[in-house]
Amino acid sequence: MTQHIEIEFKNILTKAQYEELLQAFSIQPDQIIRQVNHYFDTSSNHLKQLQSALRIREFGETIECTLKEKTSEHQHLETTDYITREQADQMLAGNRITLPTVNERLELFDIPMNTLQCYGSLTTDRVEIPYEGGLLVFDHSFYLHCDDYEVEYETNDEKIGKIIFSSFLAKHSIEPQPAQKKIVRFMTALNNQKG
């Protein structure tokens, strides 16, 4: 189990900008790691109403279940339990599983685990590199016939992080265009598809 505050800045990229950044930072194919996110909520969207999100993320042999709770514009409290393949399959099938810390947080909001359902998955090809005391992330995500690109900067200091990220965008001639969280983009695409 881990619990920490995540401070991140995100900006949408065009495909060309994404490819230029991969070149500028000499990114090799083996630095691109594929991860798959499976998103959960109740049928009444309780988590969405709380500006929170629950996901299972698979990358390599690692599987984690994370509850993200918004604490400010650029900050989230992340509560994570590492889970087995069997637990992930059970949860994806809509069965209740015991996750010590995630269950505890959900109970604070009166959300029983067995009311959660998976409403879709999003795949991301991700590059992470150390940058100016933080972590620079280049993402190419695909889901529901959509492709999008973004750059993220994760930091421990919101004020300094904002300056570093703004400077990074300016240096690479990228117009500031804050990106919504992946789950929001996924849900928008899902609702458009239903509509």
Side-chain angles (χ1 to χ4, degrees):
M1 181 285 288
T2 62
Q3 192 171 53
H4 74 279
I5 293 288
E6 176 189 64
I7 304 171
E8 67 179 4
F9 297 87
K10 300 160 76 75
N11 204 84
I12 283 289
L13 299 172
T14 63
K15 181 180 181 182
Q17 288 169 330
Y18 170 82
E19 290 172 349
E20 286 167 14
L21 287 173
L22 294 186
Q23 276 194 329
F25 286 84
S26 304
I27 301 303
Q28 301 304 307
D30 65 350
Q31 290 177 268
I32 301 173
I33 305 300
R34 178 156 291 182
Q35 58 186 34
V36 180
N37 291 338
H38 307 284
Y39 296 117
F40 294 81
D41 206 339
T42 66
S43 58
S44 304
N45 294 317
H46 284 101
L47 290 171
K48 180 182 177 185
Q49 292 168 27
L50 294 167
Q51 294 188 300
S52 298
L54 182 70
R55 69 166 185 237
I56 288 178
R57 173 174 284 171
E58 302 180 45
F59 52 102
E61 297 299 311
T62 303
I63 307 174
E64 59 188 26
C65 182
T66 300
L67 177 67
K68 294 180 84 160
E69 302 167 55
K70 188 171 186 171
T71 55
S72 72
E73 184 183 0
H74 296 287
Q75 290 188 30
H76 288 82
L77 173 64
E78 287 194 352
T79 303
T80 299
D81 285 307
Y82 292 91
I83 62 176
T84 64
R85 173 80 266 160
E86 183 181 5
Q87 287 175 305
D89 290 343
Q90 287 290 313
M91 199 168 155
L92 287 164
N95 299 321
R96 179 185 176 89
I97 65 169
T98 302
L99 301 174
T101 49
V102 169
N103 283 45
E104 192 176 297
R105 295 296 301 173
L106 289 171
E107 285 168 9
L108 292 176
F109 304 118
D110 256 350
I111 301 174
M113 193 64 138
N114 62 353
T115 63
L116 295 167
Q117 55 194 13
C118 179
Y119 52 84
S121 303
L122 175 149
T123 300
T124 299
D125 285 340
R126 168 166 283 196
V127 174
E128 295 182 348
I129 50 176
Y131 183 81
E132 300 286 335
L135 188 69
L136 197 57
V137 179
F138 306 139
D139 280 347
H140 170 206
S141 298
F142 32 103
Y143 52 96
L144 303 173
H145 311 293
C146 297
D147 271 85
D148 64 37
Y149 304 85
E150 69 183 312
V151 58
E152 295 181 12
Y153 182 64
E154 296 179 12
T155 178
N156 292 322
D157 187 301
E158 189 168 346
K159 287 181 182 176
I160 293 172
K162 184 175 185 176
I163 293 166
I164 291 170
F165 191 59
S166 296
S167 173
F168 169 85
L169 294 178
K171 179 179 178 181
H172 293 278
S173 303
I174 298 170
E175 182 183 340
Q177 192 178 357
Q180 293 179 308
K181 296 203 109 10
K182 288 179 182 68
I183 190 168
V184 173
R185 302 195 311 260
F186 175 87
M187 288 307 295
T188 299
L190 184 62
N191 291 332
N192 289 343
Q193 195 175 63
K194 287 178 181 174

